Amino acid sequence: MNLLRKILLPIVPFYYFVTWLRNKMYDVGIKKSNTYSFPIIAVGNLSVGGTGKSPMIEYLIRLLNEKKRLATLSRGYKRNTKGFRVVTTSATAKAVGDEPLQFKKKFTDVIVAVDADRRNGIANLRSLNPRPEVILLDDAYQHRKVKAGFYILLTAYYNLYCDDIVLPTGNLRESRKGANRANIIVVTKCPENLSLTEREEIASKLALKPDQFLFFTSIAYGKDVVNVSETKSIHSIKNQSFTLVTGIANPMPLIDYYTSLGLEFKHINFPDHHSFTDKELDELRTHEFIITTEKDYVRLSSHISEDKLWYQPIEVSFIQDANVFDGKLLEYIKRDLS
């Protein structure tokens, strides 16, 4: 794949121009962006691959749900249905996507919906009774047909967008200049002990605008692994081998974490949002103790017996200034946007 990407380097200027032209047409009003008189918060990234959007959406739900009637709107990646759908706890990942189903199962009182057309999804959400007062757009940074009131741009510590180039040789969906649309930029998946000096170096590389704010987060791993009816402390499995199954963009942080704890495990890796085949499921059923990610658990739990399958909860943990981040979001949802 690396060789193929290098071969495709001559296409990079063409991809750059096409995405630049598209953004410019929205910026100058040739293409229309819908604006709204109620709070819409978009969470996304410039790069393909995992930057921690789902944990950030969950962080925002915890922060805002008691303040306003909340809804999340996702594309529903790799679902086998079309159009607008409100997600229920009885839905399947194939019908609505794994991450939206994860949100709904965890936050049952929050409206969770999917629609590839965000404008149509927003209109349908606002027609509900009662209608949501705040909408969180998941992975919608490049969805320029909607102009959110507040943009949160995520970039992973180990793959900063300022060190990358556009597809197909690099991983950026659009040029680095797209970061200018963000209100807040969050460097995710940082080491917990990230020094002030390194934070300042990253801030210098990112070259934020004066009105943008920068935050750093790490992954907080739960002390227990969980299934539908039980919890099991990680400490209790230190002398027990297990199979780690991942179907996410970058499993290395989780692998490193378990390795640092001295756990004994075999890793089986699949592509992000992988649709498990019958043969793969049959093979997984032969393992006696499986730990997976929460997103993968949503897809696997209906196929593998409860006593064999567990997931590792994670949350966003701010290295500093969580109260400042929270304050900016709470201030935004209180504004009169009419």
Side-chain angles (χ1 to χ4, degrees):
M1 180 59 72
N2 288 336
L3 177 60
L4 177 59
R5 286 191 169 208
K6 290 177 181 177
I7 293 171
L8 293 175
L9 182 61
I11 300 176
V12 166
F14 176 75
Y15 184 93
Y16 179 98
F17 175 76
V18 169
T19 55
W20 172 86
L21 181 61
R22 175 180 180 271
N23 279 324
K24 181 59 69 174
M25 292 175 73
Y26 277 108
D27 292 340
V28 301
I30 296 174
K31 283 182 172 286
K32 179 177 173 54
S33 295
N34 282 24
T35 58
Y36 299 87
S37 60
F38 57 92
I40 295 181
I41 301 167
V43 176
N45 48 328
L46 295 185
S47 63
V48 296
T51 55
K53 293 183 294 293
S54 293
M56 179 56 70
I57 291 288
E58 292 185 358
Y59 183 95
L60 295 175
I61 292 173
R62 293 186 183 96
L63 174 65
L64 304 176
N65 194 30
E66 293 184 2
K67 310 293 190 300
K68 296 282 186 176
R69 189 176 304 111
L70 202 61
T72 72
L73 179 61
S74 306
R75 173 185 171 187
Y77 185 63
K78 282 197 173 182
R79 63 186 172 119
N80 59 12
T81 58
K82 302 291 184 181
F84 177 80
R85 291 176 72 100
V86 174
V87 180
T88 64
T89 55
S90 60
T92 65
K94 285 186 176 182
V96 299
D98 47 17
E99 288 160 342
L101 185 57
Q102 175 183 321
F103 299 152
K104 186 61 183 179
K105 285 180 175 291
K106 186 176 288 187
F107 305 100
T108 56
D109 58 334
V110 171
I111 303 166
V112 177
V114 293
D115 197 332
D117 182 342
R118 304 305 203 282
R119 286 192 297 197
N120 185 66
I122 291 169
N124 276 281
L125 282 170
R126 290 288 283 180
S127 71
L128 299 177
N129 186 21
R131 68 184 185 184
E133 299 168 302
V134 177
I135 295 177
L136 304 179
L137 298 182
D138 176 29
D139 196 14
Y141 199 81
Q142 284 76 36
H143 202 91
R144 298 295 305 272
K145 291 181 180 180
V146 167
K147 186 175 182 180
F150 201 97
Y151 285 92
I152 300 174
L153 176 64
L154 309 182
T155 184
Y157 167 79
Y158 52 82
N159 188 24
L160 299 172
Y161 65 77
C162 60
D163 296 329
D164 206 347
I165 62 173
V166 298
L167 295 163
T169 299
N171 289 310
L172 298 186
R173 299 171 174 176
E174 60 176 300
S175 82
R176 291 169 250 178
K177 293 180 181 178
N180 291 337
R181 299 196 301 275
N183 299 90
I184 281 175
I185 295 173
V186 182
V187 181
T188 62
K189 304 184 180 183
C190 298
E192 292 181 7
N193 59 350
L194 186 68
S195 69
L196 176 59
T197 299
E198 190 169 5
R199 278 179 264 154
E200 290 173 344
E201 290 173 353
I202 292 172
S204 178
K205 289 174 66 176
L206 293 176
L208 273 63
K209 297 189 304 179
D211 61 344
Q212 292 180 312
F213 296 88
L214 179 64
F215 298 89
F216 296 86
T217 65
S218 60
I219 300 172
Y221 293 99
K223 295 181 180 180
D224 300 322
V225 291
V226 181
N227 69 15
V228 70
S229 60
E230 294 183 74
T231 62
K232 186 193 297 276
S233 75
I234 292 178
H235 178 76
S236 71
I237 64 175
K238 280 198 170 183
N239 297 317
Q240 184 178 0
S241 63
F242 62 90
T243 302
L244 175 63
V245 176
T246 58
I248 57 177
N250 180 20
M252 285 310 301
L254 180 56
I255 293 169
D256 291 343
Y257 174 66
Y258 280 168
T259 301
S260 72
L261 296 178
L263 300 182
E264 181 183 343
F265 61 93
K266 172 187 176 182
H267 180 216
I268 301 178
N269 190 37
F270 295 96
D272 195 18
H273 297 281
H274 181 66
S275 296
F276 295 96
T277 65
D278 290 340
K279 182 178 179 180
E280 289 165 344
L281 291 169
D282 286 341
E283 197 279 328
L284 290 176
R285 291 187 191 101
T286 66
H287 296 259
E288 292 301 315
F289 182 17
I290 296 172
I291 298 178
T292 190
T293 69
E294 191 165 3
K295 183 170 73 172
D296 295 312
Y297 184 86
V298 167
R299 284 177 284 131
L300 288 171
S301 59
S302 59
H303 302 285
I304 296 176
S305 63
E306 172 188 325
D307 60 318
K308 291 185 175 184
L309 186 66
W310 306 73
Y311 70 85
Q312 171 66 63
I314 64 169
E315 292 184 8
V316 168
S317 176
F318 280 80
I319 290 176
Q320 66 171 27
D321 295 334
N323 59 325
V324 178
F325 177 91
D326 295 355
K328 294 193 176 300
L329 270 297
L330 294 171
E331 176 189 1
Y332 167 66
I333 67 169
K334 292 176 182 176
R335 291 179 196 165
D336 181 2
L337 303 177
S338 59

